[in-house]
Amino acid sequence: MNPVDVFSVVEPVLLLSGLGMVLFAYFQYARRTRDFRAVVRFWERRLALSRGEHAWQRAGIVMLLLGIVVRYVLVLGLI
């Protein structure tokens, strides 16, 4: 199988799973605290995430960044 084909499949998987992980962390926070406004306005640093929620959020951000890197590799033709 061609590496470009593999990366073409991996990219959306990374992006969607990363987005899902971040949304899962925010859903868990909203369910725990009933503070839905903080989830919508996440840039105000009102979120007090638990250890588990923080881990989900960080893992999701890493997955999103990896998906973006794979996208740039595909667009630039580095592989």
Side-chain angles (χ1 to χ4, degrees):
M1 190 170 205
N2 189 356
V4 174
D5 295 336
V6 173
F7 279 111
S8 295
V9 172
V10 168
E11 178 213 350
V13 170
L14 286 171
L15 291 172
L16 289 175
S17 62
L19 180 63
M21 292 170 87
V22 170
L23 290 176
F24 178 74
Y26 292 160
F27 174 75
Q28 291 291 355
Y29 171 81
R31 196 174 79 180
R32 179 175 55 89
T33 64
R34 302 285 187 238
D35 186 10
F36 297 100
R37 182 177 292 175
V39 173
V40 175
R41 303 177 114 192
F42 60 88
W43 60 86
E44 291 182 357
R45 295 185 184 261
R46 292 179 54 190
L47 293 176
L49 299 175
S50 69
R51 178 175 279 169
E53 294 160 354
H54 186 71
W56 276 101
Q57 181 195 34
R58 294 297 176 201
I61 290 171
V62 168
M63 297 285 276
L64 285 168
L65 288 175
L66 287 173
I68 292 168
V69 168
V70 168
R71 179 66 179 166
Y72 276 118
V73 166
L74 287 171
V75 168
L76 295 174
L78 299 176
I79 288 190

